[in-house]
């Protein structure tokens, strides 16, 4: 599912691209953490309903070098 989210809300489809994912109804397993990492995300918070993942600043800078001055 991350591939579709990235396609529709990533750097080539949105300005600014998404940087936070709130996942409901799923735990942060090792497989999910690894998949999130491939898209530049890390788990930032575990919630009662699931978790929140945020894209690392380093990954944002690599994806959008022209926007660094705006941060």
């Amino acid at each position: 599912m991350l591939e579709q989210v990235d396609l529709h809300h990533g750097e080539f489809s949105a300005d600014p691209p998404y940087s936070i994912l709130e996942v409901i109804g799923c735990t942060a397993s090792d497989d999910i953490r690894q998949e999130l990492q491939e898209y530049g995300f890390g788990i930032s918070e575990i919630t009662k309903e699931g978790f929140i993942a945020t894209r690392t600043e380093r990954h944002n800078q690599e994806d959008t070098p022209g926007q660094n001055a705006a941060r």
Side-chain angles (χ1 to χ4, degrees):
M1 181 173 260
L2 277 175
E3 183 178 359
Q4 290 300 312
V5 171
D6 197 62
L7 175 66
H8 294 284
H9 301 284
E11 65 177 311
F12 300 112
S13 301
D15 185 22
Y18 73 116
S19 60
I20 299 172
L21 292 169
E22 183 175 6
V23 178
I24 298 171
C26 184
T27 60
S29 69
D30 289 340
D31 288 340
I32 288 175
R33 288 176 189 269
Q34 183 176 349
E35 184 76 15
L36 286 167
Q37 219 170 24
E38 290 178 20
Y39 285 88
F41 284 86
I43 305 295
S44 58
E45 184 179 340
I46 301 295
T47 66
K48 287 183 356 181
E49 298 85 15
F51 60 89
I52 296 173
T54 54
R55 183 168 276 171
T56 62
E57 184 67 24
R58 185 178 134 258
H59 193 278
N60 282 335
Q61 290 173 357
E62 289 171 0
D63 283 352
T64 55
Q67 294 181 2
N68 289 341
R71 292 188 178 176

